Amino acid sequence: MLRKLTPYLFVAPLMIFIAVFTYIPILASLNLSVRSWNFLSPDMPFVGMRNYEQLLSSRELWNSLWVTTLFAILSVPLRLGMAVLIASYLVRESAHSRLLRGALFLPSVTSTVSIAVVFSWVFSTDYGMVNTILVTLGLGRVQWLQDPYLALWVLIFVNTWKQLGYDIVIYVAGLQAIPRELYDAAAVDGGRRLHVFRRITLPLVMPTTYFLLVISVIEAFQVFTIVNVMTRGGPAGATDMLVNLLYEIGFVLFDIGRGSALAVLLFVLLVALAFLKSRIIGKRVHYEA
């Protein structure tokens, strides 16, 4: 009997950790999403689907969904496209490549708050480095974080700068797993570099691309720190993403019921996106060369 229970005893600490920090919070959010609570009142009356109805009928939710979707559509392909191209160059084993990999990976392990504060200064209208350079060149100042059309692009740039190094390192690992014989055979056949990249590299690195696509989309829909520090959702809601809206509802307005309902909707949305990606892209993923 003890031998049968031994494997479960080994995984029990991890399962308890996952239950306490994942499954129990999910169930708690589901419970709070159908109640009205403001942190201060001891009463938590049941309100049914009222929180969901108020959210789905609010302009703020649909604006945040549009902004977050646009952020994901613009940032994820940019990140992955740049990462696979840079990784193709850095896949060679040399001191130069290893140094560049480390330098590019450094932002991904740097505090997001620190990065957001630094770039808030860099893109400041009055004393930012970017505008200082523009003025030196005889150009006018640009309101990077106050312009509704530019603020989102600044956030995309900052997020890409932070996450690009991680994507590159993962792509390098995927590229190193491709058999060298395939490239030797293509060289013998006179394959051009672009043709080899399109016909050999991209298909065989598809599992890595699929993995990065899943986590990048999830990360894009959960962006919060950069938005909260640099723009706070402004100007005029142009960068008000879903998690930032959740924070405002739950921790500024203290409407825990609606905040929990939004968290549940976000969870369902991410699960649906992961399912769609597995159905559409998963069929094109080949794990053998």
Side-chain angles (χ1 to χ4, degrees):
M1 183 66 178
L2 184 60
R3 292 186 61 182
K4 292 182 179 179
L5 292 177
T6 300
Y8 299 99
L9 292 175
F10 277 113
V11 300
L14 178 61
M15 297 306 297
I16 293 173
F17 180 86
I18 293 174
V20 170
F21 292 100
T22 302
Y23 298 126
I24 292 177
I26 290 175
L27 294 176
S29 295
L30 284 170
N31 177 51
L32 290 172
S33 71
V34 294
R35 298 183 180 276
S36 177
W37 188 41
N38 63 359
F39 269 138
L40 303 177
S41 173
D43 298 324
M44 300 170 58
F46 179 81
V47 296
M49 302 299 291
R50 190 181 71 185
N51 292 324
Y52 292 96
E53 292 172 357
Q54 290 179 352
L55 278 174
L56 293 174
S57 61
S58 67
R59 294 180 57 185
E60 290 81 5
L61 174 66
W62 296 107
N63 175 70
S64 295
L65 179 60
W66 162 248
V67 171
T68 308
T69 303
L70 186 62
F71 178 86
I73 291 174
L74 295 175
S75 65
V76 172
L78 176 65
R79 276 176 52 184
L80 299 187
M82 292 176 61
V84 70
L85 291 175
I86 297 173
S88 299
Y89 172 75
L90 297 180
V91 72
R92 305 174 184 87
E93 284 298 334
S94 65
H96 175 69
S97 295
R98 286 191 290 270
L99 181 62
L100 283 177
R101 285 181 218 162
L104 290 170
F105 185 72
L106 187 60
S108 65
V109 294
T110 303
S111 167
T112 307
V113 174
S114 302
I115 291 174
V117 170
V118 169
F119 276 103
S120 295
W121 172 78
V122 169
F123 286 101
S124 172
T125 303
D126 298 323
Y127 51 84
M129 184 182 69
V130 175
N131 275 345
T132 300
I133 294 173
L134 293 177
V135 171
T136 303
L137 296 174
L139 303 174
R141 297 180 184 273
V142 177
Q143 294 185 329
W144 297 101
L145 299 177
Q146 291 75 37
D147 190 317
Y149 299 102
L150 294 178
L152 186 64
W153 282 106
V154 172
L155 296 183
I156 291 172
F157 170 80
V158 175
N159 187 69
T160 301
W161 184 85
K162 174 173 172 53
Q163 303 294 341
L164 184 63
Y166 175 82
D167 298 339
I168 290 172
V169 169
I170 299 298
Y171 263 126
V172 167
L175 291 169
Q176 289 176 339
I178 299 176
R180 187 64 197 174
E181 293 81 4
L182 297 176
Y183 292 106
D184 295 337
V188 171
D189 292 338
R192 290 176 295 178
R193 182 173 299 180
L194 181 61
H195 186 76
V196 171
F197 180 79
R198 188 166 61 91
R199 293 294 185 178
I200 296 178
T201 303
L202 286 183
L204 294 182
V205 84
M206 197 63 184
T208 305
T209 302
Y210 179 64
F211 166 75
L212 287 175
L213 179 64
V214 171
I215 65 171
S216 297
V217 170
I218 292 174
E219 186 271 335
F221 272 82
Q222 293 180 332
V223 165
F224 169 70
T225 305
I226 293 175
V227 178
N228 188 256
V229 173
M230 296 186 68
T231 64
R232 296 189 180 276
T239 61
D240 191 15
M241 307 209 191
L242 285 172
V243 179
N244 190 67
L245 178 64
L246 191 157
Y247 170 80
E248 291 175 353
I249 292 174
F251 297 99
V252 176
L253 301 177
F254 295 108
D255 191 343
I256 306 304
R258 275 203 306 150
S260 298
L262 180 53
V264 172
L265 291 176
L266 180 59
F267 173 76
V268 172
L269 175 62
L270 291 176
V271 170
L273 287 174
F275 176 76
L276 286 174
K277 282 181 285 188
S278 67
R279 297 287 293 178
I280 297 172
I281 304 175
K283 298 178 181 179
R284 302 179 60 184
V285 177
H286 304 285
Y287 293 95
E288 295 181 0

